[in-house]
């Protein structure tokens, strides 16, 4: 084989270079075939993962599992299977799985510190599913002020939809480590509405009108306490409190309807509803 000396004084085997150049197309072809096979395996594997998740989901649905549990386990199984698929494809390129596991083990502490927030969210999701402070379909108010209907409980996050149809994504760690109000936990909810009447109005008559309104509303639970009471004496009105109970799912619609009907009922009874006003008295000059 022919050798020549470079300007740096190093000796290069020309035959070795020629051999590399000659074998390059074949090596590139083999590498391309392996890449195509890897892509094919990934596509087939992704379809199998979808099938497995679908079968798992249907099995849990037939077992009447909680919707949140189904969503959480489906996400966990899907991510785990994708990790295994990537390891399988990597081993096809000559990557030693044992070496990878050893490397991950040695880097476990560093990885744990880097993703401690995600691990906290994962643990929070497990606690939510075990303790069940809420479930999919419940209306909750989180400690950070966000509120809405629970749509999904995933591995790391819980998704809510607000009344104005916005999506709120909250880390599970925050939900499990802070106070939270579940407005759907109880079968009934209490409605409290304030209504102001004039100081000249007959309070007893106003109470009768509003109690009659509560008795006629079909969504108000008649077997539970209904009250109309003087809540406070305002600057320009006597504030009446209207209180009743409804089924949890009827809360908002009933509250909006009662608020509107209170106005109509007081107007029909000729009981005035005053607005804030300021009386100015001019003192005559001496």
């Amino acid at each position: 084989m022919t050798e020549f000396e470079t300007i740096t004084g190093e000796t290069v085997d020309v035959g070795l270079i020629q051999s590399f150049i000659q074998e390059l197309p074949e090596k590139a072809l083999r590498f391309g075939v392996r890449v195509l096979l890897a892509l094919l395996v990934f596509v087939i594997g992704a379809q199998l993962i979808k099938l497995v998740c679908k079968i798992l989901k249907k099995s849990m649905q037939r077992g009447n599992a909680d919707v949140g549990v189904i969503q959480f386990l489906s996400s966990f199984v899907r991510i785990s299977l994708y990790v295994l698929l990537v390891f399988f494809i990597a081993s096809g390129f000559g990557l030693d799985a044992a070496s990878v596991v050893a490397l991950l083990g040695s880097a476990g502490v560093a990885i744990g510190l880097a993703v401690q927030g995600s691990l906290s969210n994962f643990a929070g999701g497990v606690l939510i599913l075990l303790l069940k402070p809420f479930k999919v379909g419940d209306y909750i108010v989180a400690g950070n002020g966000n509120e809405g209907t629970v749509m999904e409980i995933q591995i790391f996050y819980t998704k809510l939809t607000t009344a104005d149809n916005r999506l709120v994504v909250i880390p599970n760690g925050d939900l499990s480590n802070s106070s939270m109000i579940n407005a759907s936990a109880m079968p009934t909810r209490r409605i409290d509405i304030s209504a102001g009447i004039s100081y000249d109005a007959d309070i007893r008559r106003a109470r009768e009108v509003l109690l009659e309104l509560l008795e006629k509303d079909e969504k108000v639970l008649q077997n539970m306490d209904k009250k109309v009471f003087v809540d406070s004496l305002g600057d320009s009105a006597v504030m009446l409190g209207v209180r009743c109970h409804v089924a949890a799912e009827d809360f908002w619609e009933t509250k909006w309807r009662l608020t509107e009907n209170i106005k109509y009922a007081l107007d029909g009874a000729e009981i005035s509803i005053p607005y804030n006003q300021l009386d100015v008295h001019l003192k005559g000059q001496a």
Side-chain angles (χ1 to χ4, degrees):
M1 291 183 290
T2 305
E3 296 181 352
F4 69 91
E5 187 174 338
T6 64
I7 58 176
T8 60
E10 296 179 353
T11 302
V12 179
D13 190 340
V14 177
L16 185 62
I17 297 176
Q18 292 177 343
S19 175
F20 174 78
I21 294 175
Q22 290 173 356
E23 294 176 359
L24 184 60
E26 183 180 353
K27 290 181 178 180
L29 179 61
R30 288 201 300 267
F31 181 77
V33 170
R34 293 172 70 178
V35 170
L36 290 176
L37 288 175
L39 292 174
L40 181 61
V41 170
F42 181 82
V43 172
I44 295 175
Q47 295 300 319
L48 290 176
I49 290 173
K50 289 182 180 179
L51 179 61
V52 170
C53 291
K54 186 176 182 180
I55 294 174
L56 176 64
K57 185 176 181 180
K58 288 186 176 180
S59 298
M60 290 189 292
Q61 287 175 341
R62 286 196 295 268
N64 295 323
D66 186 77
V67 177
V69 175
I70 295 175
Q71 294 173 347
F72 185 89
L73 289 180
S74 297
S75 300
F76 180 77
V77 170
R78 183 173 63 253
I79 292 176
S80 300
L81 291 177
Y82 269 111
V83 171
L84 293 176
L85 177 61
V86 171
F87 271 108
F88 176 76
I89 294 174
S91 64
F93 283 88
L95 189 63
D96 187 6
S99 300
V100 174
V101 172
L103 179 62
L104 291 178
S106 62
V109 176
I111 294 174
L113 292 174
V115 298
Q116 58 182 342
S118 297
L119 293 177
S120 174
N121 292 334
F122 176 78
V126 174
L127 289 175
I128 289 172
L129 292 178
L130 291 177
L131 302 178
K132 295 184 178 180
F134 60 85
K135 63 182 184 297
V136 174
D138 286 352
Y139 190 93
I140 66 172
V141 181
N144 56 9
N146 289 313
E147 60 181 285
T149 303
V150 179
M151 300 302 296
E152 292 184 42
I153 304 174
Q154 297 185 345
I155 294 180
F156 301 114
Y157 300 95
T158 292
K159 295 182 178 180
L160 313 178
T161 53
T162 62
D164 55 352
N165 204 31
R166 292 180 297 165
L167 179 66
V168 180
V169 181
I170 305 177
N172 289 333
D174 293 348
L175 288 175
S176 62
N177 294 321
S178 62
S179 61
M180 182 267 303
I181 299 174
N182 187 343
S184 304
M186 306 302 291
T188 63
R189 288 186 66 180
R190 191 181 76 188
I191 292 178
D192 288 284
I193 303 174
S194 294
I197 63 173
S198 170
Y199 272 94
D200 296 330
D202 186 343
I203 296 177
R204 295 182 181 85
R205 174 58 180 158
R207 182 184 290 113
E208 292 175 358
V209 170
L210 296 181
L211 281 175
E212 182 180 358
L213 173 65
L214 296 180
E215 292 171 355
K216 289 182 178 180
D217 194 288
E218 59 181 9
K219 294 297 184 179
V220 174
L221 299 178
Q222 302 300 327
N223 60 336
M224 300 189 72
D225 191 25
K226 303 183 295 295
K227 287 184 178 180
V228 178
F229 52 92
V230 177
D231 188 40
S232 64
L233 301 176
D235 294 335
S236 58
V238 177
M239 301 305 300
L240 300 181
V242 181
R243 179 175 296 174
C244 62
H245 293 79
V246 297
E249 62 271 16
D250 298 329
F251 177 81
W252 289 110
E253 291 293 336
T254 306
K255 183 174 183 178
W256 296 332
R257 182 177 62 257
L258 285 176
T259 302
E260 180 178 350
N261 288 341
I262 285 173
K263 172 68 167 61
Y264 297 149
L266 293 177
D267 288 346
E270 297 182 351
I271 299 174
S272 62
I273 302 176
Y275 50 87
N276 290 332
Q277 58 187 5
L278 178 66
D279 294 332
V280 179
H281 299 277
L282 299 177
K283 186 176 182 181
Q285 297 179 355

